[in-house]
Amino acid sequence: MGGPEPSIVEKGPDEAFFTLSDNIVLGELFKDIQDVKSGAKPSLSDDRPSLKLLDNMSDTKHPDFQPTIFSTWDYNLADLDNKTINSIRSAILRNYITWARTVVRHDTDVIFLSHILMYFFTSVPSALYLFFGKFTYLHGIIHLLVTVWYSGGFTLMMHNHIHNNGVLAKPYAAFDWTFPYILEPLMGHTWDSYYYHHVKAHHVEGNGPDDLSTTIRYQRDSLWCFLQYEARFLLLCWFDLPKYFISKRKYNLAFRVTCTEQSSYAALYLLAKWQFKPALFVFLLPFTIMRIGLMIGNWGQHALVDDVEPDSDFRSSITLIDVPSNRFCFNDGYHTSHHLNPLRHWRDHPHAFLKAKDRYSKEGALVFHNIDYLEITFRLLTKNYMHLAKQLVPIGDQIGMSQVELAEMLRRKTRRFSEEEIRAKFGKK
C-alpha cells in the first residue's frame, strides 16, 4: 500500500477543462501556497494582474472582453472580430453574438440565450412528438438522458433567473417571464418551487435551524441520515414549504407556493392519466431525478459546517473550482461568494473570491478543486476524507497542515449538532 496521493501542495493543480477564470484563480492560489512555504506572504494588492485580467474579461469597453457563448467551446472574441478571418462559422458567430448581446440583460450572458434556444429546439419538439407523434421506448429513454444532461445547466440558469428577476433585456420581458413556465416541467421542476424554496427560504435562513434544507441536524457522513434528508424533501416539500411560510407569518407566500405546487402536481397527474408512457419519460422521471439531485447537491454544498461558527457563510458553505460547477453551471462552485452576496453576477464570483481571499483565509473557508458537489456528497457518505483532503486547496493556516490533518479537520465538520448546541450557537429559544 502506498501513501496518500499527492495533493495540490506537492504537484500543483489538477489538469482539467477549467474555465479561463478558474485557471487564473487556481494559478494564484497555488502561487500563494508556494510563497507561504518559502516564507513569503501572498500578494493582496488590489492591482495584481489576476484581478485586472478578470476585470478586463467582463468590461465591454476593454479589448480583452469575452462574453460567454457556449459551455464546451472557448474562443477569443478578438479573433471573431478580425475581418481577415473569412470563414462561414466566424461570420455566423459574429452575427449571432452581436444580436444576442441585444437580447440578454448583460453582455456577458450570451450563453443564456444559447441555452434557451437549445431547449426550445430540442426538448420541446421532442416532448411534443412523444405525446402527439409515435411514442417509442428508445425515443423516451434518449429524451430522458438528454433531459438529465441538460438539467444542471438549466437549473443554474434558472438560479440566475430567480435571483435577478430574469436574464433577458427589457424588450423581451414577456418572454423572459413566460419561458420558465414552459421549460421548468420539462426539466423536472414544479412551477416556481425553486424560487420559493431557494430564494425565499434557503437564502433567508442560510442553512440555519429553520432552513428546510438545513444539514446541521444530520450526521453528514452517514448514508442513513442522508436518506432521511433526501426522503423528507422528496415526499414532504409540498407540505413543509407552505408550513414554513405560515410559521414566519408570510401568508401570501404560503398561499402562492401552495397554488403553484399543487397545480404542478395536478398537471402531472392529468398528463399521466392522459398518456402515461410519454408523461413518464417527459415529466415524471425528470421530476423524481431532479428532486433527488437537488438535495444531493445541497448536501455537498452545506455538509462541511464549522462547529464553532456554524452561522458563518464562510464556514457553512464551500468553494469549488471545478468543471461541472463552473464551466457548465455558471460558476455555481463559488457557493460561499454566492451566499455572501446572492445578487452578485455569476461572472463576478472569481474576481470577488480572489479580492477577498485574505478574508476567506482568516475565516478558515474551504476551497476544493476538480471535484463537484455530487462527488463531495459521495466521498462524504463513503467517508473517503483522504480524497477530499487531496482535492482541498489549502489557504491560510491550512497550508501548513498535512493531508492526514486536513482529512481529520474535514471529518470534524460533518458532526451532527444537538438541539442544545443549535439553541446556543444560533440563538434559538
Side-chain angles (χ1 to χ4, degrees):
M1 294 286 291
E5 296 178 72
S7 68
I8 187 173
V9 177
E10 289 84 28
K11 67 177 181 59
D14 290 351
E15 292 290 333
F17 191 32
F18 296 119
T19 64
L20 176 56
S21 297
D22 278 358
N23 277 318
I24 292 170
V25 171
L26 274 176
E28 178 161 323
L29 293 180
F30 182 57
K31 183 178 183 303
D32 289 347
I33 293 170
Q34 293 177 309
D35 287 343
V36 170
K37 290 178 68 176
S38 65
K41 292 184 177 180
S43 174
L44 300 174
S45 64
D46 288 340
D47 63 346
R48 57 190 190 269
S50 57
L51 291 180
K52 286 186 175 179
L53 182 54
L54 289 170
D55 264 336
N56 295 342
M57 288 165 55
S58 295
D59 182 357
T60 58
K61 297 180 181 179
H62 197 277
D64 291 336
F65 170 68
Q66 296 293 336
T68 306
I69 303 172
F70 306 110
S71 300
T72 55
W73 178 44
D74 291 328
Y75 68 97
N76 191 315
L77 186 61
D79 290 341
L80 295 179
D81 290 338
N82 187 345
K83 302 301 183 182
T84 61
I85 301 178
N86 186 21
S87 71
I88 295 175
R89 186 178 70 173
S90 295
I92 292 173
L93 280 173
R94 279 198 302 270
N95 284 291
Y96 172 66
I97 294 168
T98 300
W99 169 69
R101 286 173 64 179
T102 69
V103 177
V104 293
R105 186 172 299 180
H106 300 281
D107 284 48
T108 52
D109 296 350
V110 172
I111 190 170
F112 289 154
L113 182 61
S114 300
H115 273 244
I116 292 169
L117 292 173
M118 178 175 67
Y119 303 140
F120 272 98
F121 281 104
T122 57
S123 294
V124 172
S126 175
L128 290 173
Y129 188 82
L130 283 168
F131 274 97
F132 298 102
K134 183 180 179 181
F135 173 84
T136 64
Y137 280 104
L138 178 61
H139 183 180
I141 291 169
I142 293 173
H143 180 93
L144 177 63
L145 292 175
V146 171
T147 298
V148 172
W149 174 254
Y150 283 170
S151 61
F154 174 80
T155 299
L156 272 301
M157 180 183 73
M158 288 308 303
H159 181 250
N160 285 272
H161 192 285
I162 62 179
H163 274 290
N164 298 285
N165 196 29
V167 295
L168 302 182
K170 285 185 178 180
Y172 303 91
F175 179 69
D176 202 14
W177 180 86
T178 304
F179 83 79
Y181 291 100
I182 300 171
L183 296 179
E184 280 178 336
L186 293 174
M187 299 296 171
H189 290 275
T190 50
W191 289 313
D192 290 340
S193 60
Y194 188 32
Y195 167 74
Y196 290 118
H197 193 282
H198 182 76
V199 175
K200 294 299 185 181
H202 177 61
H203 272 281
V204 173
E205 303 296 342
N207 201 49
D210 290 344
D211 190 343
L212 296 180
S213 56
T214 186
T215 58
I216 60 174
R217 290 188 172 93
Y218 299 89
Q219 178 63 35
R220 295 176 297 282
D221 61 358
S222 163
L223 178 60
W224 173 240
C225 285
F226 172 73
L227 291 175
Q228 295 175 58
Y229 176 82
E230 185 71 72
R232 173 147 199 153
F233 178 73
L234 188 63
L235 300 176
L236 293 176
C237 181
W238 64 271
F239 174 77
D240 284 341
L241 197 49
K243 179 172 173 281
Y244 164 79
F245 288 130
I246 291 172
S247 72
K248 299 297 180 180
R249 299 184 179 182
K250 298 178 180 178
Y251 303 113
N252 180 44
L253 292 180
F255 174 75
R256 286 159 58 186
V257 74
T258 298
C259 290
T260 57
E261 193 76 355
Q262 295 304 322
S263 62
S264 295
Y265 294 148
L268 292 176
Y269 172 77
L270 292 173
L271 286 164
K273 189 174 182 181
W274 172 44
Q275 290 195 60
F276 178 74
K277 291 178 182 178
L280 178 67
F281 288 95
V282 174
F283 296 110
L284 299 179
L285 288 176
F287 167 77
T288 305
I289 294 168
M290 175 59 71
R291 288 282 165 112
I292 293 172
L294 286 171
M295 288 300 100
I296 295 174
N298 195 78
W299 188 273
Q301 290 171 338
H302 294 285
L304 297 165
V305 181
D306 186 72
D307 58 353
V308 177
E309 291 186 56
D311 58 342
S312 166
D313 286 328
F314 289 99
R315 300 183 177 203
S316 64
S317 60
I318 61 177
T319 299
L320 302 186
I321 304 171
D322 73 303
V323 176
S325 304
N326 297 341
R327 174 173 288 280
F328 296 109
C329 292
F330 313 111
N331 284 336
D332 187 47
Y334 293 89
H335 200 64
T336 300
S337 175
H338 174 61
H339 269 273
L340 291 171
N341 182 0
L343 297 181
R344 181 174 286 137
H345 188 266
W346 68 278
R347 279 277 298 258
D348 294 337
H349 285 307
H351 183 278
F353 170 78
L354 279 187
K355 191 169 184 179
K357 69 175 182 180
D358 188 47
R359 177 77 186 278
Y360 278 76
S361 298
K362 291 176 179 176
E363 293 285 350
L366 298 176
V367 182
F368 296 87
H369 84 299
N370 204 23
I371 185 171
D372 62 20
Y373 295 117
L374 304 187
E375 187 180 353
I376 291 276
T377 295
F378 172 75
R379 299 294 181 179
L380 287 171
L381 298 182
T382 55
K383 296 180 172 57
N384 193 344
Y385 288 100
M386 287 300 287
H387 183 80
L388 291 172
K390 170 182 171 290
Q391 300 309 124
L392 189 74
V393 182
I395 58 176
D397 293 340
Q398 300 164 6
I399 294 176
M401 299 171 67
S402 70
Q403 202 163 326
V404 173
E405 290 171 329
L406 290 172
E408 186 55 37
M409 174 195 71
L410 296 175
R411 185 189 303 274
R412 291 195 299 270
K413 293 180 183 295
T414 62
R415 184 180 62 83
R416 180 204 306 258
F417 287 82
S418 68
E419 291 303 318
E420 291 76 16
E421 288 176 309
I422 290 172
R423 285 193 291 270
K425 295 179 182 297
F426 290 90
K428 296 289 292 182
K429 295 183 180 180

